[in-house]
Amino acid sequence: MHKEGNEIHIDEVEASGGSKEGVVRWVLAGGMLLAIILLSVTWIVPALMQDDVEEEATVSGEIRSMEDDGTGTDSIITDVGNDTEATATDQATQQDGVDVIEN
């Protein structure tokens, strides 16, 4: 800072109150990189340590377990017709070529 007549001249460093070295940029970049690494480790390590029970809870594990069963019904229950109770298919009648079920 220097004075010329009635004017006070201040250089850039004194006016800003600090230096302009770009340290904040490196701190932010380092923090971002560290956050990415830590979040990746918390996701990848448990995924690698997954056993068979946890694997079946995933969609791909569910598909594999359904393929291994050998049953292709997809949990569809079909009525064999050997029951003693009246079911909806037993009460179905045809009207104009369409099955009609009375409630």
Side-chain angles (χ1 to χ4, degrees):
M1 179 169 86
H2 65 279
K3 192 172 186 180
E4 293 180 11
N6 290 336
E7 298 177 354
I8 299 175
H9 293 271
I10 301 174
D11 63 355
E12 189 177 323
V13 175
E14 290 175 344
S16 67
S19 62
K20 297 189 179 204
E21 299 169 0
V23 176
V24 175
R25 183 177 335 149
W26 290 106
V27 171
L28 290 174
M32 178 78 76
L33 185 64
L34 184 64
I36 290 170
I37 291 170
L38 288 176
L39 290 173
S40 296
V41 166
T42 58
W43 169 69
I44 292 171
V45 170
L48 292 175
M49 301 178 91
Q50 202 174 44
D51 61 352
D52 292 336
V53 174
E54 293 159 337
E55 184 178 328
E56 288 183 6
T58 62
V59 174
S60 58
E62 185 71 27
I63 291 170
R64 269 188 250 117
S65 70
M66 288 171 61
E67 289 172 352
D68 293 342
D69 282 347
T71 58
T73 62
D74 289 333
S75 301
I76 297 174
I77 300 173
T78 56
D79 188 10
V80 188
N82 296 335
D83 55 354
T84 56
E85 295 179 14
T87 61
T89 56
D90 296 335
Q91 299 172 3
T93 58
Q94 285 213 349
Q95 187 176 33
D96 296 330
V98 178
D99 287 338
V100 177
I101 299 175
E102 298 293 328
N103 289 333

